[in-house]
Amino acid sequence: MNKKVLILSSSPRKGGNSDTLCDEFMKGALKAGNTVEKIFLKDKLINYCTGCSVCSMYGKPCPQKDDADGIVEKMIDADTIVLSTPVYFYTMSAQMKTMIDRTCARYTEITGKEFYFIVTAADGNKQALERTIDGFRGFLDCLDNAVEKGTIYATGVWKTGEIENTPFMKEAYKAGENI
C-alpha cells in the first residue's frame, strides 16, 4: 500500500547524523513505492507556543503566522510520521520540542498515524537515549490511535559524517523500506 510519509528532521546541521539517517529512511520508503516528504525544521520559522490559549479555550486557530500550521497540516495528512532528533543532554532537540508544542491547536486531528523515531547521540549507551524516546512517547500518548512502529537508536556518533558506514544506515533504509 502506498503511504504518505512525513519525515521531520530536527537536526540543526543539514547533513548531520540524524538528518543523514532521515535521508536513508526516505530512500527505503521511496523504493517501496511510498510518497515521502522530508521537512528540515531548521529551515522553517517555527515560533514557540506562547500559551495564549486561543486554540485550547476558544477553539480558534493559532494566531501566530509562521510555518508551524503548514507542518501540522502535513502531519494530519500523513499516514506515517518520522520524528528524528539528535540527542543533546539526553533529550530531544529544541527544534523538535518546539514543533511538538505547536501541534497544540490541532493535535486531536493527528489520528491513526504510524510513527518511527530516529535518535542519534555521542553516548554509546542505547539506554541513555530512553529519556528522549519517552518524550516522543508522551506526545504519542496524547494522540488517538497513534502506533509506534520502530525506533533507530544510533549511538556513538557525534561529529558530522560519523554515521556513514555504520549499521545504522542500513537499519534506517530497511525501516523505510518496510513501512
Side-chain angles (χ1 to χ4, degrees):
M1 176 180 142
N2 184 341
K3 294 183 180 179
K4 288 183 184 176
V5 180
L6 179 65
I7 301 172
L8 299 181
S9 175
S10 71
S11 175
R13 302 183 295 189
K14 193 167 273 195
N17 294 317
S18 62
D19 190 49
T20 298
L21 289 179
C22 288
D23 291 341
E24 285 300 302
F25 188 101
M26 182 167 53
K27 287 177 190 174
L30 287 168
K31 182 181 180 225
N34 299 289
T35 304
V36 183
E37 179 178 1
K38 181 179 100 170
I39 297 175
F40 190 66
L41 295 179
K42 183 182 179 214
D43 287 346
K44 302 295 182 182
L45 175 62
I46 304 168
N47 297 317
Y48 301 113
C49 176
T50 63
C52 69
S53 299
V54 167
C55 66
S56 60
M57 290 182 64
Y58 305 108
K60 295 184 178 181
C62 180
Q64 296 195 64
K65 303 300 176 212
D66 61 8
D67 296 321
D69 190 51
I71 296 169
V72 172
E73 188 68 40
K74 290 172 189 264
M75 292 173 79
I76 293 166
D77 193 43
D79 300 306
T80 302
I81 300 171
V82 178
L83 302 177
S84 176
T85 186
V87 176
Y88 300 136
F89 302 104
Y90 301 101
T91 192
M92 71 183 74
S93 69
Q95 292 86 343
M96 180 60 73
K97 180 62 170 115
T98 299
M99 186 62 237
I100 288 172
D101 288 349
R102 287 298 303 284
T103 66
C104 186
R106 300 183 66 194
Y107 77 95
T108 60
E109 298 174 65
I110 304 172
T111 62
K113 309 299 177 196
E114 296 178 342
F115 282 86
Y116 289 84
F117 308 139
I118 297 174
V119 293
T120 60
D123 195 312
N125 178 5
K126 178 181 169 181
Q127 194 63 30
L129 307 182
E130 282 304 318
R131 190 175 310 156
T132 302
I133 300 305
D134 286 344
F136 283 153
R137 288 179 179 143
F139 174 53
L140 268 58
D141 285 346
C142 298
L143 308 177
D144 287 336
N145 300 314
V147 178
E148 181 183 335
K149 297 293 281 188
T151 300
I152 298 165
Y153 295 89
T155 56
V157 293
W158 183 7
K159 296 175 182 156
T160 300
E162 286 185 339
I163 199 72
E164 299 290 339
N165 302 313
T166 67
F168 306 123
M169 296 288 283
K170 185 175 182 179
E171 185 180 353
Y173 182 89
K174 286 286 186 196
E177 191 176 42
N178 292 322
I179 60 173

